[in-house]
Amino acid sequence: MRFVWAVAAFVLAALMIGAGVAQRTVFQGPTSYSESIEVTQDVPYVLVDGAALASHPGAQTLRAQGDGPIFAAYGRTDDLAAWLSPWQYAHVEVDDEGAITTTIVEPEAAAEEPAGDDAAAEDAAGEDAASPAPLNPAGSDLWLDEFADEDLLIETLQLPEDMSVLVAADGATPAPAKLTMTWPVVNATPWAGPLVVGGAVLLAVGIVLYILGIRHVRRSRGPRRKGLPMPVTEPIDLATAEEEKGVIAASPSRRSLGTRRRRFAVVPAIGLSVLLAGCTSDAWPQFSSSPTPTPTATVIAPESQQAPAVTEAQAAQILARISEQVAAADEALDANAAAKRLTGPALAERRTNYTLRAAIAEQKPLPAIPSGPVSILLPQAYDGWPRTFMAVVGDEEAGNTIMFVTQDDPWSGYKLSYVGGLDATTELPLAPAYVGAAQVSPDNAFLAIAPEKLAAAYADVLNKGDSSEYAGLFDEAADQFRSGVANDRAARLDAFNQTGAETGSLTFESVPGSQAPVSLATLENGAIVAVTVNENETVRPTTEEAVIKLDADSPNPTVATLTGATQSATGFTTTFGDQLFFYVPAKSSSERIQLLGYSSHILDAKVIP
């Protein structure tokens, strides 16, 4: 009976192993599906729409082939379309029937002229003023990521429908004409592994039954028959008999028998390990347990709200580029290079610093623009331009820096307009980065004070202190800048009066800066607002015979450097630029306006006319 069960186990094992192997070989379909795209017309750019990339499930592998450099980048479809609007390009998309097609998109007639920073692009524009100059897409701040290679570029992506891929060479030469998109095909065989392993187990069981059957046959003596009576046997001395006959005992020792059994038992284990090694994860059933969700605070964006200007990874990449380029400009004292990444008050104070450092060896550079890490990000939720985001960069040990960064159009890089050290540690009701915030209009009437009036109100507080009509709007307890300005003015005035009070006067005045405020809304109807305030320090002679002189060995030669004069009968005015960041609550709130951060540096000096 043991032989019967052994044969049955062998047959069933062969069927199971054969079925499992067949599922992984002859019965397994293709592992991927590909679509070939060929652009018949020479165009500088190819836009592979997100709908085409997501037309099949799974990761998308894009293959672009051409002669020379190949560039690819991905980002939001609307951003890519806006960037491509001045030029002709090929659009790879999905038609109504689900087929992937390629159409040539002509330039928009009302498209804005790209403000490229490339000198080669400007030269090309002079040669052909009828059409915009080609622009190299490499390095644009719109891309979430970009890739480059020679002759052949292969990248695996996982993009949703609202993101697309731009393929080009360098903008001036035709883009690669041969593209291939490949998607994985789900052809898992979850029962192949169990069938193979189950068959191996049955095979081992059959082998054991077969061995037991042989062992049973060898031990059984068959039917017994009666015979003639046997003579009485007596004990025989085996040692003596062997010595007499010259016979040597050849029966194996117990140790050698045990070794043979162990070797035989190892064979099925080795075979099973080989079978298991040949089975991949998709050859087994996947039993995944869903984790229990943990409730968290969720902010739901209104249906009418647009997408945030940047993602967290994109903002980190932009700030790293700004930091690198401004650092190079600081080292070279090149204001034109700094202007590629700075604007507004951030650029104005650096222009002055470069002038002073070129003339005064002891003049210190301005603090470097930090590159990260980004601890807080509040992007503007806006699909058009200009678009802005606020970021807090740094940590508690190195110090935090708050900044506003703006992009004027799709072809320009983001530029830093406001930057200052973060002073307050108040937790603000900010929307998450994936939601973004709306930009607050300068004349917003629902805040404690409109952004366009904030600089003048705070300047009045700096001038008059608690007697200002706006003093009650601001939280004085957390305002270290205000107390610092008051103490500095008092100390400078005391020092001046000790020597020049009889022949001159020193006055201070704070006035709102000329830069427009930048503001983004917070939750609870508040706003983060950045403004500029100029502090004017004026020294005048009080008698007709008096003259204000700037000695060559003066400990502060900045005024002489900026004005180009060493003395004046009318006096000098020195201007310090303050970049101030405030949290302005809603008008209905009982909170006061809080100063979040600031920076203050010399901006200009003039001879009084």
Side-chain angles (χ1 to χ4, degrees):
M1 191 65 182
R2 290 183 177 88
F3 288 108
V4 175
W5 286 111
V7 171
F10 288 150
V11 173
L12 188 57
L15 292 175
M16 292 178 65
I17 293 176
V21 172
Q23 287 189 27
R24 298 296 296 172
T25 55
V26 295
F27 294 144
Q28 189 176 33
T31 59
S32 63
Y33 173 77
S34 298
E35 283 273 1
S36 296
I37 304 165
E38 188 167 353
V39 182
T40 57
Q41 184 175 340
D42 289 343
V43 290
Y45 311 102
V46 177
L47 176 63
V48 183
D49 197 272
L53 291 168
S55 59
H56 297 277
Q60 311 107 4
T61 300
L62 179 66
R63 175 189 175 102
Q65 186 174 359
D67 296 329
I70 301 176
F71 172 86
Y74 68 85
R76 290 192 305 173
T77 303
D78 293 341
D79 289 351
L80 267 66
W83 191 91
L84 290 169
S85 58
W87 300 285
Q88 184 186 60
Y89 64 94
H91 190 189
V92 180
E93 54 187 342
V94 179
D95 61 13
D96 296 337
E97 298 179 356
I100 295 179
T101 61
T102 302
T103 57
I104 303 300
V105 180
E106 298 298 331
E108 295 182 8
E112 185 180 351
E113 178 74 19
D117 296 329
D118 193 351
E122 296 178 1
D123 295 340
E127 296 175 2
D128 186 8
S131 60
L135 191 62
N136 193 334
S140 173
D141 288 341
L142 286 182
W143 319 145
L144 299 180
D145 201 357
E146 61 182 47
F147 317 95
D149 212 327
E150 289 286 335
D151 300 332
L152 179 63
L153 185 143
I154 301 176
E155 289 295 335
T156 300
L157 308 169
Q158 189 81 46
L159 302 182
E161 290 189 5
D162 60 346
M163 291 190 181
S164 299
V165 175
L166 170 66
V167 181
D170 56 5
T173 57
K178 294 182 179 180
L179 303 176
T180 304
M181 293 186 294
T182 304
W183 301 268
V185 174
V186 179
N187 55 359
T189 55
W191 293 109
L195 284 173
V196 173
V197 173
V201 172
L202 282 176
L203 178 63
V205 171
I207 293 174
V208 172
L209 290 174
Y210 183 77
I211 295 172
L212 292 176
I214 294 176
R215 182 181 180 185
H216 177 72
V217 170
R218 287 182 176 179
R219 287 186 175 183
S220 65
R221 296 179 179 179
R224 296 183 179 181
R225 297 180 181 179
K226 293 182 178 181
L228 296 175
M230 298 294 293
V232 177
T233 58
E234 295 182 359
I236 300 176
D237 189 352
L238 295 177
T240 305
E242 289 174 356
E243 290 177 1
E244 292 177 356
K245 297 182 179 181
V247 178
I248 299 175
S251 61
S253 65
R254 183 177 300 273
R255 182 175 181 181
S256 62
L257 289 174
T259 304
R260 291 181 183 178
R261 291 193 185 99
R262 283 198 296 270
R263 288 177 181 174
F264 182 78
V266 168
V267 173
I270 295 176
L272 183 61
S273 64
V274 172
L275 290 174
L276 289 174
C279 295
T280 57
S281 61
D282 57 353
W284 295 87
Q286 302 296 322
F287 304 101
S288 59
S289 58
S290 300
T292 303
T294 302
T296 56
T298 303
V299 177
I300 301 177
E303 294 183 1
S304 59
Q305 183 164 309
Q306 302 177 31
V310 294
T311 64
E312 294 185 24
Q314 188 180 7
Q317 177 178 268
I318 292 169
L319 293 176
R321 290 174 178 174
I322 292 175
S323 175
E324 181 181 357
Q325 295 183 29
V326 173
D330 288 348
E331 184 176 357
L333 304 181
D334 189 347
N336 293 330
K340 294 182 178 180
R341 284 300 187 177
L342 299 177
T343 187
L347 177 61
E349 67 179 15
R350 259 180 164 73
R351 286 186 184 275
T352 302
N353 182 260
Y354 293 166
T355 302
L356 295 176
R357 289 173 58 197
I360 305 172
E362 295 80 11
Q363 184 69 31
K364 295 182 179 180
L366 294 179
I369 305 300
S371 59
V374 180
S375 56
I376 298 176
L377 175 64
L378 184 63
Q380 180 185 0
Y382 186 48
D383 293 336
W385 281 268
R387 51 176 60 169
T388 302
F389 70 86
M390 184 209 75
V392 175
V393 181
D395 49 45
E396 294 182 358
E397 296 182 0
N400 289 309
T401 301
I402 183 172
M403 56 186 71
F404 275 89
V405 190
T406 302
Q407 186 183 39
D408 292 331
D409 55 64
W411 311 279
S412 300
Y414 275 88
K415 295 184 178 182
L416 179 63
S417 56
Y418 285 86
V419 58
L422 189 65
D423 186 54
T425 57
T426 304
E427 293 187 3
L428 300 177
L430 301 180
Y434 62 84
V435 174
Q439 190 170 42
V440 179
S441 61
D443 58 348
N444 187 286
F446 298 99
L447 297 175
I449 189 172
E452 62 184 5
K453 299 179 180 179
L454 178 60
Y458 191 73
D460 191 71
V461 172
L462 292 177
N463 292 329
K464 301 178 181 178
D466 293 337
S467 61
S468 171
E469 59 178 310
Y470 303 104
L473 294 176
F474 296 88
D475 185 358
E476 182 182 3
D479 193 345
Q480 298 182 7
F481 179 76
R482 175 181 168 183
S483 59
V485 169
N487 294 335
D488 180 70
R489 288 181 177 182
R492 293 173 67 85
L493 188 58
D494 289 344
F496 179 82
N497 289 336
Q498 292 178 5
T499 57
E502 297 180 357
T503 58
S505 64
L506 176 63
T507 58
F508 303 94
E509 181 186 20
S510 296
V511 297
S514 59
Q515 301 292 334
V518 179
S519 53
L520 292 175
T522 66
L523 303 178
E524 301 178 2
N525 299 321
I528 305 294
V529 184
V531 297
T532 57
V533 171
N534 293 338
E535 295 182 64
N536 296 324
E537 177 183 316
T538 303
V539 56
R540 299 174 182 268
T542 55
T543 62
E544 295 181 358
E545 297 80 7
V547 175
I548 305 298
K549 292 185 178 181
L550 301 175
D551 297 333
D553 57 349
S554 171
N556 185 18
T558 56
V559 176
T561 301
L562 295 176
T563 60
T566 57
Q567 66 179 20
S568 172
T570 56
F572 297 91
T573 297
T574 305
T575 301
F576 293 86
D578 302 332
Q579 300 179 51
L580 306 171
F581 300 81
F582 293 93
Y583 168 63
V584 182
K587 181 177 291 186
S588 58
S589 175
S590 59
E591 295 181 274
R592 293 185 176 184
I593 301 173
Q594 298 182 30
L595 179 69
L596 302 177
Y598 63 88
S599 67
S600 181
H601 302 283
I602 187 169
L603 192 62
D604 196 8
K606 296 180 180 179
V607 176
I608 299 176

